[in-house]
Amino acid sequence: MAEINLDKIYASFLLALEESHDSESLSDLQKEYLGKNSVISEERKNISNLSDLDKKKFGKTIKDISEKINRDIENKKIAIKRDTYENKENSENVDISIDWLENTGTKEHVISSVMSEVAQIFSSIGYTVAHGPEAETSWHNFDALNTPVWHPARYESDTLYIDKKLDNLLRTQTSTVQVRHMQENKPPIYIVSPGRVYRSDQLDSTHSPVFHQIEGLAVDDAITFTDLKGTLEFFVKEFFGSNVKTKFIPHFFPFTEPSAEVLVSWKDGDWLEILGCGMVDPNVFENVGFKKGTQGFAFGVGVERLAMLRHNIDHIKNFYDNDLRFLRQF
Ligand code: DAH
């Protein structure tokens, strides 16, 4: 009989617990169910009227139920605290791009995967990958590439110098790797060099102060402009598809002669520029100590440009915002 009463008490406690949402109502509840004048205390007083056997049994039941009530109240206190912090966090730090639970695993960034793909295309025809530093000397970035101090192209270039004497800079082009590689190696040379370059450019839809290029250099016996055309046409068709046409139009670069820009035919009939190229200027070969009469070609591709064309991306900043909703698409 008495035990049934205790079950009822516990059931009514649970209902009241559900309705308690702060620490004040929890301590009221504790007083009501376990305090001096509580029903449980009343029940405890009745123990003395019971037989020895019942005393033991009923005493234990009362002890168990009191412990249960205490434990339930403690757990509820912890839950209330956790909810309070969680609510606070959510209202102060709204992050709509991070979805921790769903976001498992890793993925290559679209810029990295375009660079790997281009390197892969060239490695299929015998090129290897070379690298150079991003903090460079002005000599490697300009002088060695036939752009001496007095050359107008040097001042037109939006360079980020890193010392007052203008001897060192953040490289403005991956062409620096041509120079470094030729200083260390003899022909035949067939390299591509993907990497980051820096210019003091304002951010707009197609320009960013930090972007990526892939440089190419081939130096071998009797290399001609025809080899350059054939190689770049192969690359364009591998990357964009075999129905894309290429057009070479004359251009000026200090380190190549003749120089050209390569345009590709686009969906709406437009021609879009994707890279610069040319036959390496004899002065560049002389600067790295190669013998007179050496022949070779070079090219430089804008990686963001390739990715924007392939995926129809309209603003360069998308690549650097690190919005997972954008990055997950590729
Ligand atoms: N370095 C040039 C630039 O950043 C791109 C370039 C043009 C690279 C012609 C070359 C080249 O190797 O031959 O605009």
Side-chain angles (χ1 to χ4, degrees):
M1 180 69 193
E3 280 185 38
I4 292 171
N5 206 12
L6 284 178
D7 283 346
K8 275 193 190 152
I9 292 169
Y10 185 63
S12 83
F13 160 77
L14 286 180
L15 281 178
L17 183 68
E18 205 147 300
E19 296 301 309
S20 307
H21 300 295
D22 53 48
S23 53
E24 207 180 336
S25 52
L26 284 177
S27 33
D28 286 350
L29 202 61
Q30 197 160 23
K31 239 183 255 157
E32 187 183 336
Y33 281 87
L34 301 173
K36 237 198 244 156
N37 301 320
S38 67
V39 228
I40 290 185
S41 292
E42 288 302 315
E43 294 287 345
R44 197 179 284 116
K45 281 177 201 152
N46 292 336
I47 293 182
S48 52
N49 306 328
L50 299 174
S51 68
D52 277 357
L53 195 72
D54 282 351
K55 257 187 201 151
K56 217 171 169 188
K57 203 172 145 216
F58 193 56
K60 184 171 180 328
T61 315
I62 286 198
K63 186 170 167 265
D64 287 351
I65 212 165
S66 308
E67 278 174 8
K68 232 158 53 174
I69 288 176
N70 264 327
R71 202 168 0 162
D72 289 346
I73 288 177
E74 280 314 304
N75 286 340
K76 181 86 186 221
K77 272 187 192 161
I78 293 169
I80 288 175
K81 213 180 216 173
R82 194 194 49 220
D83 287 353
T84 313
Y85 283 128
E86 226 165 66
N87 288 340
K88 211 166 160 206
E89 182 101 333
N90 288 342
S91 63
E92 283 172 0
N93 276 330
V94 190
D95 188 335
I96 54 165
S97 69
I98 296 179
D99 190 343
W100 298 105
L101 290 180
E102 206 185 289
N103 183 30
T104 49
T106 58
K107 208 170 176 195
E108 201 172 37
H109 191 282
V110 56
I111 291 296
S112 307
S113 69
V114 166
M115 289 199 289
S116 319
E117 188 180 336
V118 175
Q120 199 66 44
I121 292 172
F122 281 98
S123 84
S124 76
I125 50 171
Y127 284 68
T128 57
V129 175
H131 292 288
E134 291 172 16
E136 258 296 3
T137 68
S138 299
W139 188 83
H140 285 90
N141 198 87
F142 290 128
D143 303 73
L145 288 163
N146 202 30
T147 320
V149 168
W150 49 264
H151 201 293
R154 190 145 164 168
Y155 298 99
E156 283 160 17
S157 138
D158 306 301
T159 311
L160 292 160
Y161 287 95
I162 51 180
D163 66 0
K164 285 210 180 113
K165 286 169 68 194
L166 313 187
D167 287 341
N168 297 289
L169 44 76
L170 295 178
R171 67 178 180 188
T172 63
Q173 48 190 357
T174 45
S175 308
T176 52
V177 185
Q178 291 185 33
V179 178
R180 287 194 174 268
H181 194 81
M182 288 192 285
Q183 286 180 308
E184 302 283 321
N185 298 273
K186 293 268 158 267
I189 289 171
Y190 291 92
I191 54 154
V192 283
S193 182
R196 207 175 284 143
V197 297
Y198 301 81
R199 299 208 186 152
S200 133
D201 268 343
Q202 290 289 337
L203 184 74
D204 66 26
S205 64
T206 53
H207 294 87
S208 154
V210 184
F211 60 104
H212 301 77
Q213 291 186 330
I214 297 172
E215 193 75 13
L217 174 70
V219 186
D220 206 344
D221 285 342
I223 279 204
T224 66
F225 200 89
T226 314
D227 300 310
L228 167 60
K229 277 194 81 177
T231 305
L232 293 180
E233 270 166 14
F234 166 78
F235 158 65
V236 167
K237 288 194 162 37
E238 286 291 303
F239 189 83
F240 287 113
S242 53
N243 50 355
V244 170
K245 294 194 187 69
T246 52
K247 180 154 91 173
F248 287 68
I249 60 166
H251 197 77
F252 171 77
F253 295 105
F255 35 88
T256 41
E257 180 60 36
S259 306
E261 270 182 350
V262 174
L263 288 76
V264 294
S265 61
W266 211 240
K267 295 180 187 84
D268 41 17
D270 279 351
W271 288 94
L272 297 176
E273 185 233 318
I274 57 155
L275 61 87
C277 63
M279 300 305 291
V280 177
D281 193 292
N283 289 343
V284 175
F285 286 137
E286 193 183 328
N287 290 336
V288 296
F290 278 11
K291 64 174 194 282
K292 257 201 162 63
T294 306
Q295 301 236 127
F297 65 76
F299 55 89
V301 195
V303 179
E304 277 79 353
R305 191 82 211 246
L306 292 183
M308 286 171 88
L309 289 175
R310 169 177 284 173
H311 299 295
N312 260 323
I313 295 163
D314 61 0
H315 205 297
I316 201 167
K317 80 175 170 57
N318 287 309
F319 294 121
Y320 321 117
D321 274 352
N322 281 338
D323 185 333
L324 294 177
R325 291 167 301 182
F326 171 79
L327 296 175
R328 277 204 196 107
Q329 298 174 82
F330 309 106

